[in-house]
Amino acid sequence: MNKAGGFITLYRQMTGWEWYKDSATKDLFLHLLLTANFVDTRFMGKKIRRGQVVTSLASLAEETGLSIQQIKTAIKHLISTNEITNESTRQYRIINRRSEERRVGKERRSR
């Protein structure tokens, strides 16, 4: 997890987001926004891009106070609406914010 300072931009329109009233999904999504890498790094030989989080279900449960079942359900919700993608291995998972992919793609196309 990236512990550096800084800030994120959060728009008021989020109150109209379909998962806004689902506390577990909203809490997990906000946690992912706050803990995502903001620069490219490497982890165990893999490139971890900006907007990605290397974690585990147990770590997410501990960091958010949600149960592992709530984490699994929230991940399914976020995947179903294309908010995130999830790549799992036996040791860890890489969660990627799709909004970060779209934003970076737009920046590249505008260059």
Side-chain angles (χ1 to χ4, degrees):
M1 176 173 30
N2 208 332
K3 300 272 187 191
F7 65 93
I8 62 168
T9 302
L10 192 60
Y11 294 97
R12 291 179 197 264
Q13 290 112 327
M14 185 173 182
T15 59
W17 181 49
E18 66 186 289
W19 298 116
Y20 188 76
K21 292 183 181 179
D22 184 315
S23 295
T25 303
K26 177 177 57 180
D27 289 352
L28 179 63
F29 186 70
L30 289 172
H31 181 72
L32 294 172
L33 289 175
L34 292 167
T35 59
N37 281 345
F38 56 89
V39 294
D40 291 352
T41 60
R42 295 199 63 78
F43 176 79
M44 296 182 74
K46 278 192 86 105
K47 182 177 182 181
I48 307 301
R49 295 185 323 269
R50 177 180 176 170
Q52 293 183 316
V53 179
V54 178
T55 191
S56 67
L57 293 175
S59 294
L60 289 171
E62 181 180 325
E63 293 164 0
T64 61
L66 300 171
S67 70
I68 288 181
Q69 186 57 51
Q70 287 174 305
I71 297 292
K72 287 179 178 180
T73 301
I75 287 172
K76 285 180 186 175
H77 288 165
L78 295 170
I79 289 172
S80 75
T81 54
N82 289 318
E83 302 293 343
I84 64 169
T85 59
N86 177 46
E87 176 188 334
S88 295
T89 72
R90 289 181 3 178
Q91 299 152 334
Y92 59 90
R93 65 182 56 224
I94 299 172
I95 298 177
N96 187 50
R97 289 186 0 253
R98 295 296 304 244
S99 57
E100 184 68 16
E101 282 181 357
R102 290 187 294 263
R103 189 190 60 71
V104 170
K106 287 178 186 176
E107 285 178 4
R108 287 186 182 143
R109 284 191 299 274
S110 67
R111 289 183 188 166

